[in-house]
Amino acid sequence: MVVDLNKSRKFSGRALLLAGAPGTGKTALALAVSKELGAKVPFCLIVGSEVYSAEVKKTEMLAEAFRRAIGTLRVF
């Protein structure tokens, strides 16, 4: 559904947040959506435990992840 909405320009330029228990396939689903949308769609992996264990503010960690995603094409 997300791929179809994005290709029809109804979801373009927006972020998608996947949440759930460990081992439920969130990363695999995100990677599949990214690959389906093409090489120009950035995929920037962040781990929740890194955000919560960091000494910097959580908002700064998320802002850094967004900057990484904007500045790169593929980060695995």
Side-chain angles (χ1 to χ4, degrees):
M1 185 171 76
V2 172
V3 172
D4 291 339
L5 284 171
N6 198 297
K7 286 184 177 181
S8 68
R9 304 279 186 208
K10 294 179 183 177
F11 198 74
S12 297
R14 299 189 186 193
L16 178 65
L17 176 65
L18 301 175
T24 56
K26 298 176 297 290
T27 304
L29 183 61
L31 184 56
V33 168
S34 174
K35 286 188 175 190
E36 183 68 26
L37 291 173
K40 292 186 179 182
V41 175
F43 180 80
C44 184
L45 178 67
I46 61 171
V47 179
S49 60
E50 290 177 5
V51 174
Y52 285 104
S53 68
E55 294 181 8
V56 296
K57 291 184 176 180
K58 287 146 189 63
T59 53
E60 181 58 34
M61 287 287 294
L62 293 174
E64 181 182 328
F66 285 129
R67 286 192 293 270
R68 256 187 295 147
I70 292 168
T72 62
L73 291 179
R74 295 262 185 221
V75 177
F76 295 106

